[in-house]
Amino acid sequence: MHCTGISIARLGARRLLYLRQAAAWTPSFQSPESAQIPSQPPRTQAYDLGKYACAGIHSSAIPLAGVVKPFPLAQTGEGIKECELVQWFVSEGDTIEAFDRLCEIQSDKATLEITSSLSGKVVKLHFEAGAMVQVGENLVSIETDEEAGDGDSDAGPAPSAASPAAHSSPEDPAPPSATPSRVLTSPAVRHLARQHSLDLAQVRASGPGGRLTKADVQAHLDSLSAAATSTVAADVAAAVPTTEAAAVRQAVPEQRGTGGDAAAGRIPAAGAGTTAGAGGGTTTVPLRGFRKAMVKSMAAAGAVPHFHFCEEVQMDALVALRALLRTEAVLGGAKLTYMPFFIKAAALALEQFPLVNSSLSPDQASILQHGAKNIGIAVATAHGLAVPNIKNVESKSIVEIAAELARLQAAAAANQLRPEDIRGGTFTLSNIGMVGGTYATPLVNPPEVAIMALGKMQSVPRFAPDGRSVVPQSILNISLGADHRVVDGAMLAGFAQAWRRYVEIPGKLLLEMR
């Protein structure tokens, strides 16, 4: 059918579908001037497209109904089946743009932010804050223009490019602006910028279409002065504990320990509002986030045949060295504790005993020896015990280790650890420090095969080298646990002795520093 020479076929297949769905259609032959187009009809209205066609009006000028699209929870990491919805950043009825934040979720590995790939209106939030959401379940429904959304890929969580996700960032370029949320980049890059309090608008983009890449942000961070980085690290190091029980240091009397990052308090409670009622009843506290991860990890560790070894370490030389270096300008005012020395000594000792830095293959048919020395540090948080790790310690200096340790402490305290901060550990240090106690029986953190627990440092009487007089010495007690399927007793004892020598004679660290 032709009306005033305008073919309905020119409307296009999708608009013709609306024509077919119209309840009734009677062509009206009128001039273009007399045709009236509703300025803002209801979105669910079916339009008489034939009337517009006969009037000579192009189909692109006809208002169309919006399409409500589901936005499911993507896979946020290997083995993750569900996540806790921590908070919403939007409400029903809000108008959003692509890359706007939708919500924050907590898996048993990390806290992630979900961003939108769609521009439109939030129609319905399908879960309330605090709910557990299964991977693949619809988080939110968004009303959007179907054509605008057809070319976009759904946006996934923002932790890391390495995180498997069903959504990816749109590739269509968009003009950048002065605000970080308008800069064209991926959620992972935004997350990296937030970790360093970086304004993305100040970073030069080198990607296609002006897209900002992770390499651009990393290059910008590398250009910052080392002194400024050290100062930031000092601020967070002074405020954040580093071990399992450091969250309530004021709860126990201060004792002498192995540094400002030692533990001193009880492990935080499972969360706000979880205490028993006045009648002494039982309160059920759901296991979520890091606490849920700890249940899984320790259940796996319970199946590992453990061997334990204990030793004491004379700390006088390291105490004197730290006192000498703690005010050095290279630290930029950062607080120097004993922990960076312990971490570096562990990496050097692992070089001599590579099996201690390994893991058992899933089929238990081979041993995987890891070249990188990724040393994990047990960190107490209000959300449970986290074990982030410092990557490639073998190639880092004491100052670099101290700065990275401070960053991980701050991220853990703010519940902002990234998945890559947790993944890939090869050996763990657990510093019970000022909590008290001398020895422990630590369990490995699978798939790692060894762990070291550091007791409190105390001044005790010991015989002097002459064997006659008694002198006070600073003694640190250590306890090691290992997977006896991979590490035998002699090997674990040898590793402990190598670590002890680096700590007792810290000058040896200089001989092997790279």
Side-chain angles (χ1 to χ4, degrees):
M1 177 183 292
H2 291 268
C3 302
T4 65
I6 303 297
S7 172
I8 295 180
R10 293 175 59 188
L11 292 173
R14 195 167 77 86
R15 288 181 168 81
L16 185 57
L17 180 61
Y18 284 94
L19 174 63
R20 292 173 179 171
Q21 293 176 342
W25 175 51
T26 302
S28 60
F29 297 88
Q30 48 188 316
S31 66
E33 292 77 9
S34 63
Q36 299 296 321
I37 300 177
S39 60
Q40 190 60 40
R43 285 197 178 259
T44 56
Q45 176 180 340
Y47 303 110
D48 188 347
L49 302 186
K51 177 178 68 175
Y52 299 129
C54 294
I57 299 173
H58 194 272
S59 62
S60 63
I62 303 174
L64 295 177
V67 177
V68 177
K69 287 192 173 185
F71 193 97
L73 174 62
Q75 177 63 261
T76 61
E78 184 178 358
I80 301 298
K81 297 181 180 179
E82 64 178 7
C83 296
E84 178 185 357
L85 178 59
V86 177
Q87 63 175 320
W88 283 106
F89 299 122
V90 297
S91 302
E92 293 182 0
D94 286 356
T95 300
I96 60 172
E97 300 291 337
F99 293 107
D100 281 353
R101 298 186 304 168
L102 293 177
C103 63
E104 181 180 66
I105 62 172
Q106 168 79 59
S107 71
D108 58 2
K109 294 184 178 179
T111 301
L112 319 172
E113 286 186 356
I114 303 293
T115 59
S116 175
S117 66
L118 304 172
S119 297
K121 179 182 178 182
V122 177
V123 176
K124 183 175 179 58
L125 304 180
H126 294 279
F127 294 91
E128 295 183 355
M132 298 302 295
V133 184
Q134 301 291 320
V135 171
E137 285 189 311
N138 191 18
L139 279 170
V140 57
S141 295
I142 302 174
E143 185 181 89
T144 185
D145 184 345
E146 186 178 22
E147 286 190 337
D150 288 344
D152 294 340
S153 300
D154 292 336
S160 166
S163 300
H167 306 297
S168 58
S169 302
E171 295 298 330
D172 296 332
S177 70
T179 59
S181 59
R182 300 277 73 82
V183 174
L184 181 62
T185 187
S186 69
V189 174
R190 297 184 192 280
H191 203 74
L192 176 62
R194 281 194 295 274
Q195 293 296 323
H196 295 275
S197 301
L198 183 63
D199 183 0
L200 290 178
Q202 306 302 319
V203 182
R204 183 178 180 275
S206 64
R211 190 178 187 85
L212 194 66
T213 67
K214 188 174 182 179
D216 296 331
V217 174
Q218 196 60 58
H220 186 82
L221 292 173
D222 291 343
S223 67
L224 301 178
S225 72
T229 303
S230 298
T231 301
V232 173
D235 293 338
V236 294
V240 183
T242 58
T243 59
E244 292 90 337
V248 282
R249 178 162 302 171
Q250 297 85 354
V252 288
E254 183 176 355
Q255 303 177 49
R256 188 181 179 194
T258 55
D261 54 352
R266 299 169 300 176
I267 297 177
T274 62
T275 57
T282 301
T283 299
T284 300
V285 181
L287 286 171
R288 296 177 178 176
F290 292 131
R291 295 190 183 280
K292 186 174 182 179
M294 185 169 65
V295 170
K296 295 179 180 179
S297 178
M298 291 300 99
V304 174
H306 276 73
F307 170 78
H308 290 96
F309 178 86
C310 300
E311 181 62 282
E312 66 175 37
V313 181
Q314 213 263 33
M315 290 281 294
D316 287 342
L318 186 56
V319 169
L321 179 62
R322 173 176 171 266
L324 181 65
L325 299 178
R326 61 193 306 176
T327 58
E328 285 296 311
V330 69
L331 296 171
K335 184 177 181 180
L336 181 63
T337 67
Y338 295 108
M339 204 63 180
F341 295 98
F342 295 158
I343 294 170
K344 186 64 179 182
L348 295 176
L350 289 172
E351 290 277 3
Q352 302 175 34
F353 295 88
L355 278 180
V356 182
N357 195 59
S358 66
S359 58
L360 197 60
S361 64
D363 60 2
Q364 301 187 18
S366 58
I367 295 174
L368 310 176
Q369 293 190 19
H370 307 297
K373 312 303 185 295
N374 300 338
I375 310 298
I377 309 299
V379 182
T381 75
H383 309 278
L385 178 65
V387 189
N389 61 83
I390 301 176
K391 303 291 193 293
N392 303 305
V393 174
E394 71 279 3
S395 62
K396 286 181 168 60
S397 68
I398 296 295
V399 174
E400 291 171 332
I401 295 171
E404 179 65 2
L405 178 62
R407 184 190 72 80
L408 293 175
Q409 293 168 1
N415 199 26
Q416 292 295 324
L417 285 172
R418 302 169 296 183
E420 55 265 34
D421 292 332
I422 304 293
R423 297 194 196 104
T426 61
F427 181 81
T428 295
L429 287 174
S430 177
N431 185 5
I432 60 175
M434 293 172 66
V435 169
T438 53
Y439 295 102
T441 54
L443 300 181
V444 298
N445 184 27
E448 300 170 18
V449 298
I451 184 173
M452 178 187 292
L454 306 168
K456 68 177 181 180
M457 184 174 67
Q458 52 190 339
S459 182
V460 297
R462 287 291 188 269
F463 282 107
D466 60 15
R468 297 179 180 179
S469 57
V470 175
V471 296
Q473 292 183 351
S474 298
I475 299 297
L476 172 71
N477 301 110
I478 63 172
S479 306
L480 293 97
D483 185 341
H484 217 336
R485 297 171 299 179
V486 179
V487 181
D488 57 44
M491 183 182 301
L492 188 62
F495 168 79
Q497 297 307 313
W499 184 88
R500 180 178 63 82
R501 285 192 292 271
Y502 284 119
V503 174
E504 291 188 341
I505 312 173
K508 289 176 63 67
L509 293 172
L510 300 177
L511 297 179
E512 301 189 44
M513 195 71 71
R514 297 178 182 177

